[in-house]
Amino acid sequence: MNWPKQIEQTVRGFKGNNLRIVNVDTLSRQDQTRSWIDEATPQQRVALQSAVEANRPLVAELKAHDVELNNIAAAEQAADGGLTIYLR
């Protein structure tokens, strides 16, 4: 699996309350998700960070969970429309 296509748009427009926060360290080294997170380019991470910061309700929700925005490593949309944020 590769970096999710259009994840920045998904994050920027996310309005749901179906949010999951996962620490990358809880994923095994062989996990496909861990692999594409580890292989993300600096440009992909910067674009994701900008998308998160542009979504004020999402920022508020993340801060309510004590998430430091600069620790966001990746994001992925679930089949149910939820959003998973991966932290380093």
mmCIF file of all heavy atoms in Angstrom, residues 27-70:
data_model
loop_
_atom_site.group_PDB
_atom_site.id
_atom_site.type_symbol
_atom_site.label_atom_id
_atom_site.label_comp_id
_atom_site.label_asym_id
_atom_site.label_seq_id
_atom_site.Cartn_x
_atom_site.Cartn_y
_atom_site.Cartn_z
ATOM 1 N N LEU A 27 2.163 -0.414 15.741
ATOM 2 C CA LEU A 27 2.063 -1.235 14.532
ATOM 3 C C LEU A 27 3.342 -2.057 14.364
ATOM 4 O O LEU A 27 4.437 -1.547 14.581
ATOM 5 C CB LEU A 27 1.876 -0.349 13.299
ATOM 6 C CG LEU A 27 0.696 0.619 13.317
ATOM 7 C CD1 LEU A 27 0.731 1.522 12.097
ATOM 8 C CD2 LEU A 27 -0.621 -0.123 13.408
ATOM 9 N N SER A 28 3.189 -3.302 13.960
ATOM 10 C CA SER A 28 4.384 -4.125 13.766
ATOM 11 C C SER A 28 5.176 -3.614 12.563
ATOM 12 O O SER A 28 4.635 -2.966 11.669
ATOM 13 C CB SER A 28 3.990 -5.589 13.552
ATOM 14 O OG SER A 28 3.527 -5.791 12.235
ATOM 15 N N ARG A 29 6.447 -3.909 12.546
ATOM 16 C CA ARG A 29 7.327 -3.492 11.445
ATOM 17 C C ARG A 29 6.871 -4.089 10.112
ATOM 18 O O ARG A 29 7.151 -3.530 9.062
ATOM 19 C CB ARG A 29 8.766 -3.912 11.719
ATOM 20 C CG ARG A 29 9.399 -3.140 12.846
ATOM 21 C CD ARG A 29 10.060 -1.921 12.313
ATOM 22 N NE ARG A 29 10.626 -1.145 13.409
ATOM 23 C CZ ARG A 29 10.742 0.148 13.377
ATOM 24 N NH1 ARG A 29 10.340 0.828 12.335
ATOM 25 N NH2 ARG A 29 11.264 0.788 14.386
ATOM 26 N N GLN A 30 6.192 -5.217 10.141
ATOM 27 C CA GLN A 30 5.742 -5.870 8.911
ATOM 28 C C GLN A 30 4.379 -5.346 8.438
ATOM 29 O O GLN A 30 3.935 -5.677 7.347
ATOM 30 C CB GLN A 30 5.644 -7.389 9.111
ATOM 31 C CG GLN A 30 6.977 -8.069 9.293
ATOM 32 C CD GLN A 30 7.578 -7.860 10.676
ATOM 33 O OE1 GLN A 30 6.856 -7.747 11.659
ATOM 34 N NE2 GLN A 30 8.894 -7.794 10.758
ATOM 35 N N ASP A 31 3.728 -4.557 9.233
ATOM 36 C CA ASP A 31 2.411 -4.027 8.889
ATOM 37 C C ASP A 31 2.507 -3.132 7.653
ATOM 38 O O ASP A 31 3.370 -2.263 7.580
ATOM 39 C CB ASP A 31 1.869 -3.232 10.087
ATOM 40 C CG ASP A 31 0.432 -2.851 9.933
ATOM 41 O OD1 ASP A 31 0.125 -2.051 9.021
ATOM 42 O OD2 ASP A 31 -0.395 -3.311 10.737
ATOM 43 N N GLN A 32 1.614 -3.325 6.682
ATOM 44 C CA GLN A 32 1.640 -2.526 5.455
ATOM 45 C C GLN A 32 1.442 -1.042 5.760
ATOM 46 O O GLN A 32 2.065 -0.198 5.125
ATOM 47 C CB GLN A 32 0.553 -2.986 4.485
ATOM 48 C CG GLN A 32 0.881 -4.249 3.758
ATOM 49 C CD GLN A 32 -0.171 -4.567 2.710
ATOM 50 O OE1 GLN A 32 -1.327 -4.189 2.833
ATOM 51 N NE2 GLN A 32 0.242 -5.263 1.680
ATOM 52 N N THR A 33 0.588 -0.742 6.696
ATOM 53 C CA THR A 33 0.360 0.664 7.054
ATOM 54 C C THR A 33 1.643 1.277 7.577
ATOM 55 O O THR A 33 2.021 2.373 7.172
ATOM 56 C CB THR A 33 -0.764 0.785 8.098
ATOM 57 O OG1 THR A 33 -1.962 0.216 7.558
ATOM 58 C CG2 THR A 33 -1.008 2.225 8.481
ATOM 59 N N ARG A 34 2.323 0.574 8.447
ATOM 60 C CA ARG A 34 3.584 1.070 8.993
ATOM 61 C C ARG A 34 4.589 1.317 7.871
ATOM 62 O O ARG A 34 5.332 2.304 7.876
ATOM 63 C CB ARG A 34 4.140 0.056 10.000
ATOM 64 C CG ARG A 34 5.518 0.345 10.544
ATOM 65 C CD ARG A 34 5.435 1.253 11.743
ATOM 66 N NE ARG A 34 6.723 1.588 12.276
ATOM 67 C CZ ARG A 34 7.136 1.274 13.498
ATOM 68 N NH1 ARG A 34 6.358 0.601 14.303
ATOM 69 N NH2 ARG A 34 8.304 1.659 13.916
ATOM 70 N N SER A 35 4.597 0.442 6.906
ATOM 71 C CA SER A 35 5.529 0.547 5.786
ATOM 72 C C SER A 35 5.307 1.837 5.001
ATOM 73 O O SER A 35 6.250 2.582 4.733
ATOM 74 C CB SER A 35 5.379 -0.669 4.873
ATOM 75 O OG SER A 35 6.220 -0.550 3.768
ATOM 76 N N TRP A 36 4.060 2.137 4.603
ATOM 77 C CA TRP A 36 3.854 3.354 3.813
ATOM 78 C C TRP A 36 4.021 4.612 4.646
ATOM 79 O O TRP A 36 4.401 5.646 4.126
ATOM 80 C CB TRP A 36 2.555 3.344 3.009
ATOM 81 C CG TRP A 36 1.240 3.289 3.727
ATOM 82 C CD1 TRP A 36 0.439 2.205 3.860
ATOM 83 C CD2 TRP A 36 0.552 4.375 4.355
ATOM 84 N NE1 TRP A 36 -0.700 2.535 4.555
ATOM 85 C CE2 TRP A 36 -0.654 3.863 4.857
ATOM 86 C CE3 TRP A 36 0.835 5.721 4.549
ATOM 87 C CZ2 TRP A 36 -1.577 4.645 5.549
ATOM 88 C CZ3 TRP A 36 -0.086 6.514 5.237
ATOM 89 C CH2 TRP A 36 -1.274 5.974 5.726
ATOM 90 N N ILE A 37 3.779 4.526 5.944
ATOM 91 C CA ILE A 37 4.039 5.681 6.811
ATOM 92 C C ILE A 37 5.539 5.951 6.865
ATOM 93 O O ILE A 37 5.987 7.086 6.722
ATOM 94 C CB ILE A 37 3.466 5.468 8.225
ATOM 95 C CG1 ILE A 37 1.941 5.459 8.174
ATOM 96 C CG2 ILE A 37 3.983 6.531 9.185
ATOM 97 C CD1 ILE A 37 1.280 5.032 9.461
ATOM 98 N N ASP A 38 6.327 4.892 7.051
ATOM 99 C CA ASP A 38 7.777 5.041 7.128
ATOM 100 C C ASP A 38 8.383 5.542 5.818
ATOM 101 O O ASP A 38 9.422 6.189 5.821
ATOM 102 C CB ASP A 38 8.434 3.716 7.522
ATOM 103 C CG ASP A 38 8.179 3.336 8.973
ATOM 104 O OD1 ASP A 38 7.741 4.211 9.764
ATOM 105 O OD2 ASP A 38 8.403 2.160 9.328
ATOM 106 N N GLU A 39 7.728 5.245 4.693
ATOM 107 C CA GLU A 39 8.252 5.634 3.390
ATOM 108 C C GLU A 39 7.718 6.976 2.884
ATOM 109 O O GLU A 39 8.057 7.398 1.776
ATOM 110 C CB GLU A 39 7.934 4.531 2.375
ATOM 111 C CG GLU A 39 8.675 3.244 2.692
ATOM 112 C CD GLU A 39 8.227 2.073 1.829
ATOM 113 O OE1 GLU A 39 7.381 2.257 0.939
ATOM 114 O OE2 GLU A 39 8.726 0.966 2.070
ATOM 115 N N ALA A 40 6.913 7.639 3.679
ATOM 116 C CA ALA A 40 6.349 8.927 3.249
ATOM 117 C C ALA A 40 7.457 9.952 3.030
ATOM 118 O O ALA A 40 8.452 9.976 3.754
ATOM 119 C CB ALA A 40 5.375 9.447 4.296
ATOM 120 N N THR A 41 7.256 10.784 2.037
ATOM 121 C CA THR A 41 8.236 11.823 1.736
ATOM 122 C C THR A 41 8.002 13.043 2.631
ATOM 123 O O THR A 41 6.891 13.238 3.152
ATOM 124 C CB THR A 41 8.130 12.275 0.268
ATOM 125 O OG1 THR A 41 6.874 12.943 0.082
ATOM 126 C CG2 THR A 41 8.256 11.097 -0.683
ATOM 127 N N PRO A 42 9.013 13.876 2.798
ATOM 128 C CA PRO A 42 8.816 15.116 3.557
ATOM 129 C C PRO A 42 7.698 15.973 2.964
ATOM 130 O O PRO A 42 6.930 16.596 3.703
ATOM 131 C CB PRO A 42 10.167 15.815 3.464
ATOM 132 C CG PRO A 42 11.153 14.710 3.256
ATOM 133 C CD PRO A 42 10.419 13.685 2.420
ATOM 134 N N GLN A 43 7.574 15.978 1.638
ATOM 135 C CA GLN A 43 6.528 16.773 0.986
ATOM 136 C C GLN A 43 5.134 16.249 1.347
ATOM 137 O O GLN A 43 4.211 17.041 1.552
ATOM 138 C CB GLN A 43 6.709 16.753 -0.546
ATOM 139 C CG GLN A 43 7.959 17.447 -1.006
ATOM 140 C CD GLN A 43 9.193 16.521 -1.035
ATOM 141 O OE1 GLN A 43 9.184 15.399 -0.536
ATOM 142 N NE2 GLN A 43 10.264 17.018 -1.611
ATOM 143 N N GLN A 44 4.995 14.939 1.413
ATOM 144 C CA GLN A 44 3.704 14.358 1.786
ATOM 145 C C GLN A 44 3.346 14.741 3.222
ATOM 146 O O GLN A 44 2.215 15.105 3.508
ATOM 147 C CB GLN A 44 3.736 12.836 1.640
ATOM 148 C CG GLN A 44 3.739 12.384 0.200
ATOM 149 C CD GLN A 44 4.004 10.905 0.046
ATOM 150 O OE1 GLN A 44 4.867 10.345 0.725
ATOM 151 N NE2 GLN A 44 3.282 10.272 -0.873
ATOM 152 N N ARG A 45 4.329 14.685 4.104
ATOM 153 C CA ARG A 45 4.070 15.031 5.508
ATOM 154 C C ARG A 45 3.717 16.512 5.672
ATOM 155 O O ARG A 45 2.825 16.854 6.437
ATOM 156 C CB ARG A 45 5.276 14.669 6.365
ATOM 157 C CG ARG A 45 5.501 13.181 6.454
ATOM 158 C CD ARG A 45 6.669 12.870 7.379
ATOM 159 N NE ARG A 45 7.189 11.554 7.123
ATOM 160 C CZ ARG A 45 6.751 10.440 7.693
ATOM 161 N NH1 ARG A 45 5.761 10.490 8.536
ATOM 162 N NH2 ARG A 45 7.303 9.281 7.402
ATOM 163 N N VAL A 46 4.398 17.368 4.942
ATOM 164 C CA VAL A 46 4.113 18.808 5.003
ATOM 165 C C VAL A 46 2.706 19.081 4.481
ATOM 166 O O VAL A 46 1.948 19.854 5.077
ATOM 167 C CB VAL A 46 5.171 19.615 4.223
ATOM 168 C CG1 VAL A 46 4.727 21.050 4.003
ATOM 169 C CG2 VAL A 46 6.508 19.584 4.952
ATOM 170 N N ALA A 47 2.338 18.446 3.382
ATOM 171 C CA ALA A 47 0.999 18.640 2.817
ATOM 172 C C ALA A 47 -0.076 18.160 3.791
ATOM 173 O O ALA A 47 -1.110 18.823 3.968
ATOM 174 C CB ALA A 47 0.876 17.913 1.482
ATOM 175 N N LEU A 48 0.176 17.038 4.446
ATOM 176 C CA LEU A 48 -0.774 16.532 5.432
ATOM 177 C C LEU A 48 -0.886 17.488 6.616
ATOM 178 O O LEU A 48 -1.981 17.795 7.089
ATOM 179 C CB LEU A 48 -0.369 15.136 5.908
ATOM 180 C CG LEU A 48 -1.243 14.542 7.001
ATOM 181 C CD1 LEU A 48 -2.686 14.400 6.538
ATOM 182 C CD2 LEU A 48 -0.680 13.207 7.448
ATOM 183 N N GLN A 49 0.241 17.959 7.098
ATOM 184 C CA GLN A 49 0.252 18.895 8.224
ATOM 185 C C GLN A 49 -0.561 20.149 7.880
ATOM 186 O O GLN A 49 -1.352 20.628 8.693
ATOM 187 C CB GLN A 49 1.692 19.276 8.571
ATOM 188 C CG GLN A 49 1.826 20.095 9.827
ATOM 189 C CD GLN A 49 1.567 19.286 11.075
ATOM 190 O OE1 GLN A 49 1.897 18.116 11.152
ATOM 191 N NE2 GLN A 49 0.978 19.911 12.069
ATOM 192 N N SER A 50 -0.384 20.669 6.689
ATOM 193 C CA SER A 50 -1.139 21.852 6.248
ATOM 194 C C SER A 50 -2.634 21.560 6.200
ATOM 195 O O SER A 50 -3.452 22.401 6.582
ATOM 196 C CB SER A 50 -0.663 22.317 4.875
ATOM 197 O OG SER A 50 0.664 22.753 4.947
ATOM 198 N N ALA A 51 -2.991 20.376 5.715
ATOM 199 C CA ALA A 51 -4.404 19.997 5.641
ATOM 200 C C ALA A 51 -5.021 19.906 7.036
ATOM 201 O O ALA A 51 -6.141 20.374 7.260
ATOM 202 C CB ALA A 51 -4.558 18.675 4.906
ATOM 203 N N VAL A 52 -4.291 19.322 7.978
ATOM 204 C CA VAL A 52 -4.789 19.225 9.352
ATOM 205 C C VAL A 52 -4.991 20.622 9.922
ATOM 206 O O VAL A 52 -6.051 20.931 10.489
ATOM 207 C CB VAL A 52 -3.824 18.401 10.241
ATOM 208 C CG1 VAL A 52 -4.201 18.527 11.708
ATOM 209 C CG2 VAL A 52 -3.806 16.945 9.809
ATOM 210 N N GLU A 53 -3.994 21.461 9.782
ATOM 211 C CA GLU A 53 -4.072 22.812 10.347
ATOM 212 C C GLU A 53 -5.195 23.638 9.737
ATOM 213 O O GLU A 53 -5.724 24.535 10.392
ATOM 214 C CB GLU A 53 -2.729 23.516 10.187
ATOM 215 C CG GLU A 53 -1.650 22.913 11.069
ATOM 216 C CD GLU A 53 -0.255 23.429 10.788
ATOM 217 O OE1 GLU A 53 -0.085 24.271 9.885
ATOM 218 O OE2 GLU A 53 0.676 22.968 11.475
ATOM 219 N N ALA A 54 -5.599 23.324 8.509
ATOM 220 C CA ALA A 54 -6.679 24.047 7.842
ATOM 221 C C ALA A 54 -8.065 23.623 8.348
ATOM 222 O O ALA A 54 -9.049 24.317 8.108
ATOM 223 C CB ALA A 54 -6.599 23.838 6.333
ATOM 224 N N ASN A 55 -8.136 22.504 9.045
ATOM 225 C CA ASN A 55 -9.412 21.990 9.546
ATOM 226 C C ASN A 55 -9.520 22.281 11.040
ATOM 227 O O ASN A 55 -9.124 21.483 11.881
ATOM 228 C CB ASN A 55 -9.502 20.485 9.259
ATOM 229 C CG ASN A 55 -10.848 19.902 9.606
ATOM 230 O OD1 ASN A 55 -11.539 20.372 10.491
ATOM 231 N ND2 ASN A 55 -11.217 18.845 8.904
ATOM 232 N N ARG A 56 -10.055 23.445 11.369
ATOM 233 C CA ARG A 56 -10.103 23.886 12.772
ATOM 234 C C ARG A 56 -10.864 22.933 13.701
ATOM 235 O O ARG A 56 -10.393 22.672 14.812
ATOM 236 C CB ARG A 56 -10.651 25.297 12.862
ATOM 237 C CG ARG A 56 -9.688 26.316 12.292
ATOM 238 C CD ARG A 56 -10.261 27.722 12.383
ATOM 239 N NE ARG A 56 -9.417 28.645 11.653
ATOM 240 C CZ ARG A 56 -8.664 29.552 12.235
ATOM 241 N NH1 ARG A 56 -8.658 29.661 13.535
ATOM 242 N NH2 ARG A 56 -7.919 30.347 11.501
ATOM 243 N N PRO A 57 -12.018 22.400 13.278
ATOM 244 C CA PRO A 57 -12.692 21.442 14.174
ATOM 245 C C PRO A 57 -11.843 20.197 14.439
ATOM 246 O O PRO A 57 -11.835 19.677 15.552
ATOM 247 C CB PRO A 57 -13.979 21.086 13.420
ATOM 248 C CG PRO A 57 -14.221 22.241 12.500
ATOM 249 C CD PRO A 57 -12.858 22.724 12.112
ATOM 250 N N LEU A 58 -11.123 19.737 13.430
ATOM 251 C CA LEU A 58 -10.256 18.581 13.616
ATOM 252 C C LEU A 58 -9.109 18.920 14.565
ATOM 253 O O LEU A 58 -8.784 18.131 15.457
ATOM 254 C CB LEU A 58 -9.702 18.101 12.268
ATOM 255 C CG LEU A 58 -8.717 16.932 12.315
ATOM 256 C CD1 LEU A 58 -9.336 15.701 12.976
ATOM 257 C CD2 LEU A 58 -8.225 16.601 10.912
ATOM 258 N N VAL A 59 -8.525 20.091 14.398
ATOM 259 C CA VAL A 59 -7.451 20.521 15.299
ATOM 260 C C VAL A 59 -7.958 20.548 16.741
ATOM 261 O O VAL A 59 -7.290 20.065 17.661
ATOM 262 C CB VAL A 59 -6.889 21.901 14.880
ATOM 263 C CG1 VAL A 59 -5.994 22.480 15.968
ATOM 264 C CG2 VAL A 59 -6.126 21.782 13.572
ATOM 265 N N ALA A 60 -9.159 21.082 16.943
ATOM 266 C CA ALA A 60 -9.738 21.144 18.296
ATOM 267 C C ALA A 60 -9.925 19.742 18.868
ATOM 268 O O ALA A 60 -9.619 19.501 20.047
ATOM 269 C CB ALA A 60 -11.060 21.902 18.267
ATOM 270 N N GLU A 61 -10.415 18.825 18.044
ATOM 271 C CA GLU A 61 -10.615 17.450 18.499
ATOM 272 C C GLU A 61 -9.279 16.783 18.839
ATOM 273 O O GLU A 61 -9.158 16.097 19.854
ATOM 274 C CB GLU A 61 -11.345 16.653 17.415
ATOM 275 C CG GLU A 61 -11.666 15.230 17.796
ATOM 276 C CD GLU A 61 -12.757 15.102 18.846
ATOM 277 O OE1 GLU A 61 -13.546 16.048 19.029
ATOM 278 O OE2 GLU A 61 -12.810 14.049 19.496
ATOM 279 N N LEU A 62 -8.280 16.981 18.001
ATOM 280 C CA LEU A 62 -6.965 16.405 18.274
ATOM 281 C C LEU A 62 -6.363 16.981 19.546
ATOM 282 O O LEU A 62 -5.806 16.248 20.366
ATOM 283 C CB LEU A 62 -6.038 16.631 17.077
ATOM 284 C CG LEU A 62 -6.398 15.847 15.815
ATOM 285 C CD1 LEU A 62 -5.595 16.346 14.626
ATOM 286 C CD2 LEU A 62 -6.187 14.352 16.021
ATOM 287 N N LYS A 63 -6.484 18.285 19.723
ATOM 288 C CA LYS A 63 -5.946 18.912 20.938
ATOM 289 C C LYS A 63 -6.687 18.425 22.179
ATOM 290 O O LYS A 63 -6.093 18.294 23.250
ATOM 291 C CB LYS A 63 -5.985 20.431 20.810
ATOM 292 C CG LYS A 63 -4.927 20.943 19.855
ATOM 293 C CD LYS A 63 -4.873 22.453 19.821
ATOM 294 C CE LYS A 63 -3.734 22.908 18.914
ATOM 295 N NZ LYS A 63 -3.596 24.360 18.905
ATOM 296 N N ALA A 64 -7.981 18.141 22.041
ATOM 297 C CA ALA A 64 -8.756 17.599 23.166
ATOM 298 C C ALA A 64 -8.238 16.218 23.582
ATOM 299 O O ALA A 64 -8.421 15.811 24.725
ATOM 300 C CB ALA A 64 -10.233 17.522 22.803
ATOM 301 N N HIS A 65 -7.576 15.542 22.652
ATOM 302 C CA HIS A 65 -6.963 14.243 22.942
ATOM 303 C C HIS A 65 -5.462 14.387 23.223
ATOM 304 O O HIS A 65 -4.717 13.408 23.163
ATOM 305 C CB HIS A 65 -7.183 13.284 21.771
ATOM 306 C CG HIS A 65 -8.576 12.771 21.670
ATOM 307 N ND1 HIS A 65 -9.572 13.441 21.012
ATOM 308 C CD2 HIS A 65 -9.146 11.655 22.182
ATOM 309 C CE1 HIS A 65 -10.688 12.758 21.087
ATOM 310 N NE2 HIS A 65 -10.461 11.671 21.796
ATOM 311 N N ASP A 66 -5.033 15.612 23.492
ATOM 312 C CA ASP A 66 -3.630 15.903 23.817
ATOM 313 C C ASP A 66 -2.657 15.534 22.702
ATOM 314 O O ASP A 66 -1.514 15.151 22.959
ATOM 315 C CB ASP A 66 -3.202 15.229 25.126
ATOM 316 C CG ASP A 66 -3.945 15.774 26.315
ATOM 317 O OD1 ASP A 66 -4.218 16.995 26.347
ATOM 318 O OD2 ASP A 66 -4.298 14.975 27.219
ATOM 319 N N VAL A 67 -3.111 15.646 21.457
ATOM 320 C CA VAL A 67 -2.243 15.371 20.313
ATOM 321 C C VAL A 67 -1.458 16.628 19.966
ATOM 322 O O VAL A 67 -2.030 17.702 19.813
ATOM 323 C CB VAL A 67 -3.075 14.928 19.080
ATOM 324 C CG1 VAL A 67 -2.201 14.856 17.833
ATOM 325 C CG2 VAL A 67 -3.748 13.589 19.356
ATOM 326 N N GLU A 68 -0.146 16.487 19.882
ATOM 327 C CA GLU A 68 0.690 17.585 19.391
ATOM 328 C C GLU A 68 0.733 17.449 17.877
ATOM 329 O O GLU A 68 1.140 16.407 17.343
ATOM 330 C CB GLU A 68 2.091 17.485 19.985
ATOM 331 C CG GLU A 68 2.106 17.752 21.480
ATOM 332 C CD GLU A 68 3.509 17.770 22.040
ATOM 333 O OE1 GLU A 68 4.445 18.158 21.308
ATOM 334 O OE2 GLU A 68 3.663 17.372 23.198
ATOM 335 N N LEU A 69 0.296 18.498 17.191
ATOM 336 C CA LEU A 69 0.123 18.423 15.742
ATOM 337 C C LEU A 69 1.407 18.049 15.004
ATOM 338 O O LEU A 69 1.351 17.374 13.977
ATOM 339 C CB LEU A 69 -0.439 19.737 15.206
ATOM 340 C CG LEU A 69 -1.819 20.130 15.755
ATOM 341 C CD1 LEU A 69 -2.289 21.418 15.112
ATOM 342 C CD2 LEU A 69 -2.827 19.016 15.582
ATOM 343 N N ASN A 70 2.550 18.440 15.528
ATOM 344 C CA ASN A 70 3.796 18.108 14.832
ATOM 345 C C ASN A 70 4.170 16.630 14.974
ATOM 346 O O ASN A 70 5.129 16.175 14.363
ATOM 347 C CB ASN A 70 4.946 19.010 15.286
ATOM 348 C CG ASN A 70 5.239 18.885 16.755
ATOM 349 O OD1 ASN A 70 4.411 18.406 17.532
ATOM 350 N ND2 ASN A 70 6.399 19.326 17.159
#
